[in-house]
Amino acid sequence: MLPQAEGARPHPSRFASAPERNARIARPLRLVTRSAAVDEELLDLLGRRMFARDELGARLAAAMRRPREGPERVTMAQLDRALRDGIDAVGEAPAALREFFAVVDRVPDWVDPALVERGARAFRRLGRSRDDVLLQLSLIGGYRFVGPADLLVETGGLTGSTAQRRLGETQTWVDAVCAPGGMRRDGEGWRLTVHVRAMHALVNDRFERNGRWDVARYGLPVNQSDQAATLGLFSSTVLLGVRALGRLVSRAESRAVMHLWKYVGWLIGVDEDWLFDTEREQNVFNRHVLLAQGGPTPAGAALAAALVDGTLTGHEGRFATLRGRYERARTLSMLRWFLGRESLHDLALPVTAAWAVPPIVVANLVESALVARVRPGRRWLERTGDRVAQRESRRRFAGAEARIGPLPL
């Protein structure tokens, strides 16, 4: 926890600083959860935990910036070796590295590996609609609020030519998490998730020390409230989003997907009392997250424009330019459906008709109501989802090295 000076505000100044606007944005979650009341204690805690960090990750980051000759310094090579081969493969491992892996290598008693695998399969079956929701509702939708978007601009993570590459990195991480066996200790999803936790800690450490980040205004660069909010964008927000695109999601599939991301959240360092088993619990929390936010920021508009314009590039073949224009128009159309006119104005994006949504809804209804009813159909949907995700990753990387850094959310 960041030490607070006597008389300091318990919340950063961005906390709940646009109440009327954000109440409108949160209205769909109020209706979905059927909860009119606001939990003032939870809202207050969200503000307070904007000053809270992942302390385990912070100790690792501090050890990684020790002097080169120091015996307790952790190197990136040691971290990579422990991620790949286990902590015992690191000769004379520093104490901070051993402490870090003693935690992440322990699987909590509540984790059901079979349910994690079912969640991964269910997530793969969501196909392109899953990726549309992650881009448009989770990612660009998250740029409507001051704070995390400003950090991304400061780190250069999603501006200019790097926009599609960083989006591709997130796509690679999501694909690894929901791959068969991805969240086992030897799985790529597990390795990348723990790697991202370490990268978040390093970003926090650097910005806390260099004095460039306005903690009083924003809270810590990577804080517990924003981390928990980001986790919710991958779980219940995706499930809500694909339903809005006509995808039928069963209660069993919902439970499995939530369990998958609950384990991911635990590994990435989210406080355990903010890890949820059900969509409703997560959506109640997500509603309060929206109420706790500030207003729009120019950084959000810059990031949104970079991602929308990035859909123009990376296409191949004779009709590459035409395909790029179509993808950009399709993205703007779906943003109108998910975010609404006011949010598009806040992000300085064109407001268009939601013309792309009806055919997507029809296709999703057919797939989830008919194809997914039989086992061969479900397997086909999983394979199709994998192929679409891999194609999008290749396009978004555009030849860049796939080095996973902090999540661009």
Side-chain angles (χ1 to χ4, degrees):
M1 193 78 168
L2 184 69
Q4 296 293 297
E6 186 176 351
R9 291 167 55 97
H11 312 134
S13 61
R14 72 166 165 118
F15 169 71
S17 58
E20 294 181 0
R21 169 187 183 260
N22 293 341
R24 290 193 298 272
I25 293 174
R27 187 175 296 137
L29 288 179
R30 175 182 173 179
L31 297 175
V32 166
T33 59
R34 299 177 183 175
S35 57
V38 173
D39 185 337
E40 296 294 345
E41 289 186 6
L42 173 57
L43 199 60
D44 174 70
L45 191 57
L46 280 161
R48 291 179 181 276
R49 288 192 188 175
M50 289 179 181
F51 288 127
R53 64 172 76 81
D54 168 20
E55 296 293 351
L56 178 69
R59 291 191 290 274
L60 176 67
M64 295 183 77
R65 62 176 171 83
R66 286 177 178 269
R68 287 183 178 274
E69 58 276 3
E72 289 303 313
R73 178 175 183 263
V74 176
T75 67
M76 188 61 72
Q78 288 174 320
L79 174 64
D80 289 344
R81 181 70 183 274
L83 284 169
R84 186 175 63 252
D85 301 321
I87 189 63
D88 291 339
V90 180
E92 300 182 356
L97 190 65
R98 286 197 173 277
E99 179 194 25
F100 184 78
F101 278 91
V103 173
V104 297
D105 278 331
R106 178 182 63 84
V107 179
D109 293 338
W110 50 260
V111 173
D112 180 345
L115 190 57
V116 169
E117 285 296 313
R118 291 201 291 275
R121 290 198 299 271
F123 211 67
R124 293 199 300 275
R125 286 197 295 271
L126 299 178
R128 187 176 185 185
S129 289
R130 173 200 73 188
D131 298 333
D132 284 334
V133 174
L134 282 171
L135 171 63
Q136 297 150 10
L137 181 57
S138 300
L139 201 64
I140 296 177
Y143 297 155
R144 291 175 288 180
F145 311 105
V146 66
D150 299 270
L151 177 63
L152 285 170
V153 168
E154 283 291 323
T155 59
L158 274 177
T159 55
S161 61
T162 65
Q164 292 303 100
R165 177 181 182 274
R166 294 295 287 116
L167 181 58
E169 289 174 347
T170 301
Q171 179 78 58
T172 295
W173 173 69
V174 171
D175 295 344
V177 163
C178 64
M183 291 307 294
R184 294 197 298 258
R185 175 57 178 86
D186 59 349
E188 186 72 357
W190 187 97
R191 185 185 71 80
L192 291 180
T193 299
V194 177
H195 175 84
V196 167
R197 181 175 186 172
M199 295 303 101
H200 281 165
L202 287 170
V203 168
N204 229 13
D205 182 81
R206 175 163 62 92
F207 275 82
E208 281 191 63
R209 288 187 298 108
N210 66 18
R212 289 170 49 195
W213 186 251
D214 189 346
V215 174
R217 180 184 183 191
Y218 299 124
L220 291 182
V222 183
N223 60 69
Q224 278 295 326
S225 293
D226 289 338
Q227 288 251 86
T230 297
L231 180 67
L233 297 176
F234 286 93
S235 57
S236 68
T237 298
V238 168
L239 294 174
L240 274 179
V242 297
R243 287 194 182 97
L245 294 176
R247 178 73 61 170
L248 304 180
V249 180
S250 71
R251 185 174 298 179
E253 288 173 324
S254 167
R255 177 171 173 264
V257 168
M258 291 300 301
H259 194 71
L260 166 69
W261 288 102
K262 181 179 180 180
Y263 182 39
V264 171
W266 184 85
L267 279 175
I268 218 165
V270 173
D271 285 339
E272 197 158 351
D273 62 332
W274 282 353
L275 302 175
F276 303 106
D277 292 304
T278 68
E279 275 190 80
R280 188 182 187 280
E281 290 173 305
Q282 183 70 66
N283 285 329
V284 168
F285 179 81
N286 290 353
R287 178 190 171 211
H288 287 77
V289 165
L290 292 173
L291 296 176
Q293 298 307 308
T297 169
L303 295 168
L307 289 185
V308 170
D309 291 343
T311 59
L312 292 165
T313 63
H315 305 285
E316 300 176 350
R318 293 176 56 192
F319 302 104
T321 300
L322 185 61
R323 180 61 187 269
R325 290 175 180 172
Y326 168 79
E327 288 296 333
R328 184 179 186 276
R330 178 182 182 274
T331 298
L332 288 170
S333 170
M334 298 184 75
L335 284 169
R336 174 68 175 85
W337 176 252
F338 282 129
L339 304 186
R341 184 183 299 272
E342 180 183 4
S343 290
L344 290 176
H345 284 310
D346 288 342
L347 293 169
L349 292 173
V351 177
T352 68
W355 56 266
V357 174
I360 295 172
V361 170
V362 171
N364 280 335
L365 283 172
V366 170
E367 287 185 359
S368 54
L370 298 177
V371 178
R373 290 178 67 90
V374 295
R375 183 174 297 178
R378 290 193 293 272
R379 290 177 177 171
W380 178 81
L381 288 174
E382 289 170 27
R383 291 194 300 270
T384 301
D386 287 342
R387 286 196 296 270
V388 169
Q390 290 166 7
R391 184 176 68 244
E392 284 298 294
S393 292
R394 287 194 299 271
R395 181 180 71 81
R396 287 167 177 164
F397 276 127
E401 180 187 359
R403 177 66 175 178
I404 305 295
L407 294 182
L409 282 166

